[in-house]
């Protein structure tokens, strides 16, 4: 069977599952694990990035792919015979805006394949259940679509109040037993539940020491975003649609991207009612709504006689600060700019890189700094945010000049020398608008 035919067979099987899930929303699927065969594992291999760091076994994607057919067949036998053992996740750390660090898990390449295969099968069911306002880690959906929809909903439904909520350490706090019970409401396949249990209990390897957290999902794994979406679909999305929204007096909306979400309300009384019950709802599932980071924002259209208080009447969502500002025609419109903490993080990262990698030759420094700027523009380059892009660009110029100057005899480089000798030969990419959100 050729690759095209295999792909069509997989697609047909998943489509049939999806149709059944859509037609019978109360059906519990108990026989799905058999779909994870060599062909599906090979499809998972094709979709998995090859440039990731190796996990605890040290095996790279290139090494695994050298004898791919044999490796996949052996992997399938272990899965079929229930002999597959989920290896521990290698832990790294990423610095957050507040100075704290967020754990990053690195699974083995083979484990990524299994996770992707399981995620593919489970998504065929759950994609029929997830609501349109859930944007995180779903095919064909992006954070830019979420922030566009947020603004449109505010205009369309005359939204005046924003519930800006924060779930404390969601990915670290997710209760394993609660998650399994939620999954069993829709998928009660022993093979898949067993694999999920293996990943949840596989443990974390850090500096040669193995620990087994009793809560949390394997961050960095392919399966983790799906598990998060399943959990919050039950805890938040369904609760909002079935129990909260019907009881509100005015209009409202919910926009969620993974564990980040915004609830907009037309009436202040509705917003305060939601604020009063939100913490209790999450506590039922062993989660905490952060009291200091959760707030009710007065997002009414400003009075023309005065400028709105930016501290009280703005909120951050998906890396952008959302606020009221005047259009060129003099009308009040909702604008977005890069959130201050994201600007600081980008600037700090560029400064540190220029300082620590000052020994690289000029072409290599230029290549990497340019890539960092393009990545920043790719996400934050939305209409109306040009000035904030310029801030990061100017900082990149300053950082590069500052640390290149350390390589000179007097430890300093003038602006003229930097402009004439460096930037003419190695110009950095200037800010650009990528998304007309």
């Amino acid at each position: 069977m050729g690759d095209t035919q295999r792909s069509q067979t997989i697609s047909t099987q998943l489509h049939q599952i999806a149709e059944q899930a859509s037609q019978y929303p109360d059906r519990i699927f108990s026989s799905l694990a058999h779909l994870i065969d060599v062909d599906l594992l090979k499809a998972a291999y094709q979709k998995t990035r090859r440039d990731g760091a190796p996990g605890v076994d040290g095996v790279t994607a290139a090494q695994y792919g050298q004898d791919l057919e044999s490796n996949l067949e052996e992997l399938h036998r272990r899965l079929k015979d229930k002999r597959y053992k989920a290896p521990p996740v290698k832990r790294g750390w990423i610095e957050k805006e507040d100075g704290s660090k967020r754990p990053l898990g690195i699974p083995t390449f083979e484990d990524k394949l299994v996770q992707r295969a399981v995620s593919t099968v489970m998504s065929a069911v759950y994609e029929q259940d997830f609501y349109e306002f859930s944007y995180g880690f779903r095919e064909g959906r992006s954070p830019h679509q979420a922030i566009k929809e947020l603004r449109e909903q505010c205009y369309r439904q005359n939204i005046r109040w924003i519930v800006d909520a924060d779930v404390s350490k969601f990915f670290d706090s997710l209760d394993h037993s609660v998650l399994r019970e939620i999954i069993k409401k829709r998928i009660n396949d022993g093979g898949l539940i067993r694999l999920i249990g293996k990943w949840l209990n596989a443990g974390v390897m850090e500096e040669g020491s193995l620990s087994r957290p009793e809560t949390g999902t394997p961050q960095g794994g392919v399966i983790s975003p799906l598990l998060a979406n399943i959990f919050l679909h039950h805890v938040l999305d369904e609760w909002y649609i079935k129990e909260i929204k019907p009881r509100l007096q005015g209009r409202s909306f919910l926009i969620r991207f993974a564990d980040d979400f915004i609830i907009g309300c037309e009436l202040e009384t509705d917003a305060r009612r939601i604020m009063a019950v939100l913490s209790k709802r999450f506590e039922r599932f062993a989660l905490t709504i952060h009291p200091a980071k959760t707030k009710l924002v007065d997002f009414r259209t400003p009075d023309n006689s005065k400028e709105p208080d930016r501290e009280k009447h703005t909120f951050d969502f998906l890396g952008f600060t959302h606020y009221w500002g005047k259009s060129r025609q003099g009308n009040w419109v909702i604008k977005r700019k890069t959130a201050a903490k994201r600007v600081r993080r980008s600037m700090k990262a560029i400064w540190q890189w220029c300082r620590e990698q000052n020994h690289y030759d000029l072409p290599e420094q230029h290549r990497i700094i340019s890539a960092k700027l393009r990545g920043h523009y790719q996400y934050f380059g939305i209409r109306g945010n040009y000035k904030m892009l310029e801030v990061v660009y100017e900082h990149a110029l300053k950082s590069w000049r500052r640390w290149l100057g350390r390589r000179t005899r007097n430890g300093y480089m003038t602006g003229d020398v930097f402009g004439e000798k460096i930037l003419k030969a190695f110009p950095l990419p200037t800010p650009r608008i990528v998304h007309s959100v």
Side-chain angles (χ1 to χ4, degrees), residues 240-295:
Y240 168 78
I241 289 295
K242 296 179 179 179
E243 298 185 35
I244 296 299
K245 195 170 184 179
R247 292 180 169 86
L248 300 180
Q249 298 299 311
R251 292 174 289 183
S252 74
F253 72 83
L254 167 65
I255 299 285
R256 182 174 66 80
F257 192 97
D259 61 324
D260 292 332
F261 65 93
I262 292 291
I263 301 176
C265 295
E266 183 179 16
L267 303 178
E268 181 181 3
T269 52
D270 287 340
R272 293 196 179 279
R273 288 175 64 192
I274 293 174
M275 288 283 288
V277 298
L278 196 59
S279 294
K280 298 175 183 177
R281 173 65 179 180
F282 275 74
E283 285 172 3
R284 284 184 55 191
F285 298 91
L287 293 174
T288 303
I289 295 292
H290 198 297
K293 296 182 180 179
T294 300
K295 60 182 180 178

Side-chain angles (χ1 to χ4, degrees), residues 12 24 36 39 89 111 121 127 143 147 196 219 241 245 256 263 278 300 312 320-321 341 371 384 396 402 436:
T12 299
Y24 306 101
I36 303 176
D39 290 339
V89 173
D111 203 44
V121 172
E127 277 297 321
I147 62 174
I196 291 170
Q219 291 190 53
I241 289 295
K245 195 170 184 179
R256 182 174 66 80
I263 301 176
L278 196 59
R300 289 175 288 185
K312 296 181 179 179
F320 292 92
T321 296
K341 59 185 180 182
R402 167 70 173 81
S436 59

